[in-house]
Amino acid sequence: MVKVNLKITISVQGPVLTQSSTPGDYGIDAPAARTADGTPYLPGTLVLGRLRQSLEELSEASSENFINKAEIEEWFGKSSDSKTISTTEIINTVAPFRKKLQATDFVAITDNSKDTLYRIRMDKKRGTVETGAYLVIDSPFAPGSTVLFEGVISHFTDNESHDLGKIEKGLRWITSFGAERTIGFGQLLKVDVKPEVEVQTPSINYYPLGAYYKLRIHPRGPFCLARRQVDKNLFESEEIIPGNVIKGGLATTWGMLAPGKGPNDQITAYFDESRQELAKSFDKIRFTHAFPLRKDSQKRPVVAPLSLIKYTMTDTKNMDCEHVLLEDMAHHEKPRLFGQPQAAPTFSIDWKESGDVKQRFGWPDLQRELRVRTAMDRKSRRSKDQQLFAYEMIVPDDHEWEAMIDLSRITEDRDKVLLQLIDLLSYGMNGWGKTKAFATTFIAGQYNAIAPGPSRGMYVITLQTPALLCDPHQLNEASGHKQLYAAYSELWKELSGGSLELVRFFASQSLTGGFYLHQRFQPDKDYHPWLLTDAGSVFVLKQSDCPKGAAAQPIVKNWLWHGLPLPDWANIRYGKNGAGNGNDWQNCPYIPQNGFGEIAVNIDLNEFPESKKEGCDE
């Protein structure tokens, strides 16, 4: 298999309009979609959608079996269907079916302006403009002008000429692009396709054999990793790329590369003869969640602890100078007043603004973009009813995401696994997130971390990613501090082998689940959501007085490097598929190998300098 990039130039006759989901200039009812620098574009999803429709029409019209339904679904994917009855059918339909074709946005390379066009609808009885039927359209290209859009459609193939011919014919069968096509907008004039085979050159000579490596991820376009939905047709993206998404994106790429396989095939021990050692050990590799940072930054952000409080100090010599300061209550045994004048501090749940704290802990301010989409009815050529949805996506710009690769669980042929993994990373992550994004991936050096000893006789553990800790069967909606303290106390005693005791904690919890996760991971059991302890939760632990307390430091070091292990109750409850326990990616999504349970130890606020206060003298 080789990766082929089809560099495509689409010639369209103006005017052309792809409507933006964000408001335009004052008075514009239908603004054109533009990039951050103001250049009009055709979304890659629009081009792929029109290409799929075109190939379906050609398939139905051709008597020579030009392209069949299975091939179309292989190229473009297919949607899941929850309207099934038997367990087997449900498992098959909720399992992801990823597409092979990936497309960038098609950006205009023709000079554009900010002209406007107008549309009205006439009242037949009165012969005047119907009330409310006056439309002002953003028209960056003049009527009759020739507009060029450039983009790339990429895919892995072993028959370059065969695929190229079908894709090129499909593109040329398309009649128009964008909105207002029925009145002549966006008429297709010409398509130019130039295939280029992408040659991978993995850098394999700079990384000595070890167990821990920095992974850098550079998304090549906006992406959406949906957080918990507030509305059924709005998907808001998380800023973090979870470890299981990284692993899934690499597995998708691998499926496209391996002979006789596809992006939806499961990685097994004999998946690919050319990467046999990696195939046998792939499930043992741990990918932490990837946090965003600027390309030139060398320090990965840190999730701020929930034990932080804000308080105000007023300068007695300059009453206009007011400092908002941070303090970590994890180091205080009892509640107290802070500030000048003294007052009760506020925790994160009470903050109206948290951007200052995120910035202090290294989190960049990422740009977001809203895109509204709809499914189309081929027969009526109109939007399908109740199929409108929106993605609020992250725009990468000049940011990368950094994660850690942990190979320590691999005891045999680690050198071969590393080389084969570096080779696989050179092909990037394909088909991840709601937008089926593509990202380049590479190892940026070895990962080093110092495992600290106790601070003031304590270990302050801060979750950097959510973790499966408390048994939801032992808690309910009425559980308060007493019940949570008892549950967490028992948990840390179990995980530390009795070497650590819980002193105090600052934590929040979330339930996660739904139809997809239930049918994918626990289809043969009654529905029970997972109870996660949220990132930022803080646990202050002290060494036990008994002889076991001496073993605390190596245990904390093990957690720091490998993530928190699943507690016994989770190993038992989520075990299935003959794996013997819940610590398997097929049984439970929230395992350490997927990046969950990452911790920071003894966070020191002094390591995160405070920014200069405006309006205050030095």
Side-chain angles (χ1 to χ4, degrees):
M1 288 280 187
V2 295
K3 186 175 183 180
V4 178
N5 296 322
L6 304 178
K7 295 191 174 182
I8 300 170
T9 302
I10 297 174
S11 301
V12 178
Q13 181 174 288
V16 56
L17 173 66
T18 300
Q19 287 187 230
S20 172
S21 307
T22 55
D25 293 338
Y26 182 76
I28 299 294
D29 300 305
R34 298 175 184 267
T35 61
D37 62 1
T39 306
Y41 70 93
L42 301 175
T45 51
L46 169 65
V47 175
L48 285 185
R50 298 287 286 127
L51 175 58
R52 178 173 191 156
Q53 178 183 334
S54 175
L55 290 174
E56 287 175 346
E57 291 173 354
L58 287 171
S59 175
E60 294 172 1
S62 173
S63 60
E64 300 177 0
N65 194 23
F66 174 71
I67 188 171
N68 56 48
K69 180 180 178 181
E71 196 172 2
I72 291 175
E73 289 183 343
E74 183 181 6
W75 281 3
F76 299 95
K78 62 180 180 180
S79 61
S80 299
D81 180 14
S82 60
K83 299 177 181 178
T84 50
I85 300 174
S86 71
T87 301
T88 304
E89 288 178 322
I90 290 177
I91 295 173
N92 290 336
T93 54
V94 300
F97 194 92
R98 304 172 183 90
K99 63 185 179 184
K100 274 190 173 183
L101 296 185
Q102 310 291 330
T104 66
D105 289 334
F106 283 68
V107 181
I109 59 173
T110 303
D111 291 338
N112 64 93
S113 61
K114 287 194 174 182
D115 293 333
T116 52
L117 296 175
Y118 307 91
R119 285 200 69 190
I120 61 172
R121 183 167 62 237
M122 300 296 293
D123 186 307
K124 294 180 180 179
K125 293 182 178 179
R126 296 184 300 157
T128 59
V129 178
E130 190 172 313
T131 303
Y134 177 75
L135 184 68
V136 182
I137 301 173
D138 183 9
S139 180
F141 305 106
S145 62
T146 299
V147 185
L148 303 181
F149 291 91
E150 279 191 352
V152 177
I153 293 179
S154 304
H155 72 306
F156 292 84
T157 180
D158 55 3
N159 192 336
E160 180 184 338
S161 60
H162 172 79
D163 292 347
L164 172 61
K166 293 185 177 182
I167 292 173
E168 192 168 9
K169 288 179 181 178
L171 287 169
R172 289 176 175 170
W173 185 254
I174 298 171
T175 56
S176 54
F177 286 96
E180 307 294 343
R181 292 182 289 124
T182 56
I183 59 170
F185 277 50
Q187 180 182 346
L188 181 65
L189 300 176
K190 183 182 177 182
V191 175
D192 183 40
V193 182
K194 295 180 180 179
E196 291 185 4
V197 176
E198 186 173 309
V199 179
Q200 308 302 323
T201 55
S203 300
I204 61 176
N205 300 320
Y206 302 100
Y207 310 113
L209 181 62
Y212 310 99
Y213 297 89
K214 291 181 181 179
L215 173 66
R216 284 290 182 106
I217 301 171
H218 183 199
R220 291 303 187 180
F223 67 87
C224 179
L225 294 165
R227 60 169 61 129
R228 187 174 290 106
Q229 287 181 260
V230 296
D231 200 339
K232 65 180 181 179
N233 64 344
L234 174 62
F235 300 91
E236 298 175 283
S237 182
E238 296 279 10
E239 295 183 352
I240 294 170
I241 303 177
N244 53 347
V245 171
I246 298 172
K247 217 166 188 179
L250 292 176
T252 298
T253 301
W254 195 356
M256 294 176 178
L257 284 170
K261 303 296 182 180
N264 303 293
D265 289 328
Q266 181 178 316
I267 307 297
T268 62
Y270 303 99
F271 185 76
D272 183 357
E273 290 186 2
S274 64
R275 301 178 181 86
Q276 193 170 26
E277 288 77 17
L278 180 60
K280 290 180 178 179
S281 303
F282 194 65
D283 62 333
K284 298 177 183 177
I285 301 175
R286 173 176 173 248
F287 292 89
T288 66
H289 290 23
F291 294 172
L293 68 172
R294 296 190 67 86
K295 286 183 181 179
D296 55 359
S297 176
Q298 299 300 315
K299 189 172 183 180
R300 185 168 175 254
V302 175
V303 175
L306 291 180
S307 53
L308 286 183
I309 55 101
K310 285 185 179 182
Y311 65 95
T312 302
M313 290 289 291
T314 303
D315 191 334
T316 55
K317 296 181 180 180
N318 180 7
M319 299 302 292
D320 293 330
C321 178
E322 195 174 74
H323 289 271
V324 177
L325 303 178
L326 291 178
E327 179 67 24
D328 193 346
M329 290 302 295
H331 302 294
H332 295 265
E333 294 184 10
K334 297 179 180 179
R336 48 162 288 199
L337 301 178
F338 285 86
Q340 180 64 40
Q342 288 199 329
T346 58
F347 287 87
S348 59
I349 195 171
D350 302 308
W351 298 343
K352 292 182 172 62
E353 171 59 42
S354 60
D356 56 336
V357 176
K358 291 188 66 175
Q359 183 181 24
R360 185 169 175 180
F361 281 83
W363 294 87
D365 187 15
L366 298 174
Q367 182 181 346
R368 291 176 177 266
E369 178 182 325
L370 183 70
R371 292 193 185 183
V372 178
R373 298 178 177 176
T374 184
M376 300 298 293
D377 188 310
R378 270 189 55 199
K379 294 182 179 179
S380 65
R381 296 183 181 270
R382 299 176 65 89
S383 300
K384 288 184 178 180
D385 292 338
Q386 300 181 350
Q387 293 295 313
L388 187 71
F389 56 96
Y391 292 155
E392 186 188 64
M393 303 185 295
I394 300 294
V395 181
D397 287 337
D398 56 349
H399 295 90
E400 292 179 341
W401 275 251
E402 184 175 301
M404 183 183 78
I405 301 174
D406 175 6
L407 303 177
S408 62
R409 291 177 174 83
I410 301 170
T411 56
E412 296 181 2
D413 297 320
R414 187 186 293 173
D415 55 341
K416 294 181 180 179
V417 171
L418 175 61
L419 293 178
Q420 292 168 14
L421 178 61
I422 291 173
D423 175 65
L424 179 61
L425 288 171
S426 70
Y427 291 92
M429 285 167 47
N430 287 269
W432 53 280
K434 288 289 184 182
T435 59
K436 301 299 180 283
F438 168 75
T440 55
T441 52
F442 60 95
I443 289 179
Q446 288 189 284
Y447 188 89
N448 297 303
I450 299 174
S455 173
R456 306 177 194 176
M458 306 287 183
Y459 289 98
V460 181
I461 306 294
T462 304
L463 292 184
Q464 296 297 288
T465 58
L468 201 58
L469 299 180
C470 289
D471 185 353
H473 289 187
Q474 305 302 317
L475 301 167
N476 56 47
E477 63 275 9
S479 298
H481 178 271
K482 182 178 179 180
Q483 291 80 7
L484 279 171
Y485 184 87
Y488 282 126
S489 294
E490 187 62 31
L491 167 86
W492 291 109
K493 182 178 179 181
E494 175 196 323
L495 295 184
S496 68
S499 64
L500 290 168
E501 297 176 1
L502 179 65
V503 178
R504 52 187 171 270
F505 70 96
F506 306 79
S508 65
Q509 301 78 29
S510 299
L511 289 174
T512 185
F515 178 85
Y516 172 79
L517 287 177
H518 177 220
Q519 298 301 336
R520 184 80 194 278
F521 294 99
Q522 301 290 320
D524 54 345
K525 298 181 180 180
D526 293 338
Y527 172 68
H528 290 283
W530 285 267
L531 177 65
L532 298 178
T533 302
D534 298 328
S537 296
V538 175
F539 301 91
V540 181
L541 310 174
K542 70 174 183 178
Q543 292 185 188
S544 302
D545 295 331
C546 64
K548 293 181 179 180
Q553 187 164 351
I555 289 174
V556 173
K557 179 180 178 181
N558 184 67
W559 295 342
L560 184 65
W561 283 103
H562 307 126
L564 296 174
L566 289 188
D568 290 341
W569 69 264
N571 275 319
I572 295 170
R573 185 169 304 149
Y574 299 126
K576 69 178 182 62
N577 289 346
N581 59 67
N583 191 26
D584 184 278
W585 69 271
Q586 298 179 84
N587 300 343
C588 177
Y590 304 107
I591 59 176
Q593 296 91 308
N594 287 345
F596 293 91
E598 180 185 351
I599 66 168
V601 182
N602 297 341
I603 291 177
D604 186 353
L605 275 177
N606 294 322
E607 295 180 5
F608 305 92
E610 195 173 4
S611 58
K612 181 180 177 181
K613 303 295 180 183
E614 295 184 3
C616 297
D617 297 329
E618 291 295 322

